[in-house]
Amino acid sequence: MRTRLPLTVALATALLLTSCGGDSDSAGGGSASGSDDVLRVATEGTYAPFSFHDPSSNELTGYDVEVAEAVGTELGREVEFSETQFDSIFAGLEADRYDVIANQVTINPEREAKYLFSAPYTVSTGVVVTRADDNSITSLADVKGKRSAQSTTSSFAEVATQAGAQVEAVEGFTQAITLLKQKRVDVTINDSLAFLEYQKTTGDQDVKIAAEIDQPSEQALVFRKDSADLQTQVDEAIETLRADGTLARISEKYFGEDVSGT
């Protein structure tokens, strides 16, 4: 509960805080402008196995989460996560609500024009997912005219649109699969690693990979254009983690193989 201070005490407190430089970050909870001691990281928290909550503990975990934590350790900075829907994640970065995005963001020319990227820490393949009984799609070209469930700001939404699909907006991968199984959409295009983890975890045989996207994609951490110094520091940390085997170890924990592109 907030209480009203006497005027003289309030003035003295304000003067004391001003003389100390207004360092409110150390009081906990972070700040809009961040701190040199804290690395503010945005992630979905609903995109297994990259960023999700462990069912047994409800703690935030995943491949991207552990990579971000390892980078923070290498930089000597505490990592503070903010969970947000993917379609608002870039707006939050631009508004300086966090310093970096760790959420399997694919590098593409459109994003490179607006943001800085770290060295890649995942190399993967996009796939077209359909219902198991749908044999009408065997290639990306076959999605033309189909309804595809996608996060609208994702690179896979762009792939779907360019292929001629009608994009239905969803909040994330789980909702896309739900709409697909309900026959409210025909396909969803996503990361092969996310789909394989979903199928392994759930045993769901009602959906399948119908086609692969030919060109592998690279995923990286994302920064604002004014964060070149942080980008350089993070790149150095990633290269150290690559060289000492940390990226491979985290990768093998979640995927059974090294997908870090080493």
Side-chain angles (χ1 to χ4, degrees):
M1 179 178 294
R2 298 176 65 180
T3 56
R4 188 184 300 275
L5 293 173
L7 180 60
T8 53
V9 175
L11 287 173
T13 302
L15 288 171
L16 177 61
L17 288 172
T18 302
S19 68
C20 291
D23 184 12
S24 60
D25 289 348
S26 61
S31 73
S33 59
S35 163
D36 288 342
D37 298 327
V38 176
L39 184 66
R40 301 171 302 157
V41 179
T43 194
E44 276 184 279
T46 57
Y47 188 33
F50 305 107
S51 169
F52 65 102
H53 285 264
D54 186 326
S56 62
S57 64
N58 202 37
E59 291 185 2
L60 182 66
T61 189
Y63 176 68
D64 286 49
V65 171
E66 289 203 27
V67 168
E69 289 173 336
V71 167
T73 298
E74 195 65 32
L75 297 179
R77 296 172 68 170
E78 177 186 353
V79 177
E80 178 183 278
F81 288 101
S82 294
E83 296 181 50
T84 183
Q85 293 178 9
F86 190 81
D87 285 343
S88 61
I89 207 166
F90 292 99
L93 180 68
E94 293 166 6
D96 196 22
R97 289 200 290 271
Y98 26 81
D99 307 306
V100 59
I101 298 170
N103 204 86
Q104 284 299 291
V105 179
T106 299
I107 302 171
N108 63 33
E110 293 77 17
R111 288 175 178 158
E112 287 183 304
K114 298 177 65 176
Y115 308 103
L116 299 177
F117 283 86
S118 72
Y121 62 92
T122 317
V123 177
S124 64
T125 304
V127 292
V128 180
V129 179
T130 66
R131 290 181 292 278
D133 60 358
D134 184 355
N135 297 315
S136 66
I137 296 172
T138 58
S139 70
L140 179 61
D142 292 332
V143 307
K144 183 176 181 179
K146 303 286 189 179
R147 295 166 298 164
S148 186
Q150 309 293 154
S151 297
T152 56
T153 57
S154 71
S155 60
F156 292 120
E158 183 180 351
V159 170
T161 300
Q162 290 180 350
Q166 175 187 334
V167 170
E168 296 284 341
V170 294
E171 295 178 359
F173 179 69
T174 302
Q175 186 182 10
I177 293 293
T178 298
L179 294 186
L180 179 61
K181 294 175 66 174
Q182 292 174 345
K183 299 186 177 182
R184 294 167 62 184
V185 298
D186 306 300
V187 302
T188 183
I189 302 175
N190 213 292
D191 191 290
S192 60
L193 299 175
F195 177 77
L196 293 173
E197 171 65 17
Y198 165 80
Q199 204 164 49
K200 182 181 74 173
T201 302
T202 65
D204 189 350
Q205 298 300 312
D206 293 331
V207 288
K208 68 178 182 182
I209 292 176
E212 289 189 353
I213 298 172
D214 292 338
Q215 187 66 34
S217 60
E218 294 181 325
Q219 288 74 42
L221 303 176
V222 190
F223 315 87
R224 289 183 301 280
K225 282 286 191 179
D226 62 2
S227 299
D229 287 346
L230 178 60
Q231 177 201 35
T232 299
Q233 294 171 26
V234 170
D235 273 353
E236 292 174 353
I238 287 176
E239 290 312 310
T240 297
L241 296 170
R242 196 186 306 281
D244 68 12
T246 300
L247 287 185
R249 176 181 55 77
I250 298 173
S251 182
E252 288 166 1
K253 173 181 176 180
Y254 288 96
F255 308 110
E257 60 183 274
D258 186 2
V259 300
S260 65
T262 54

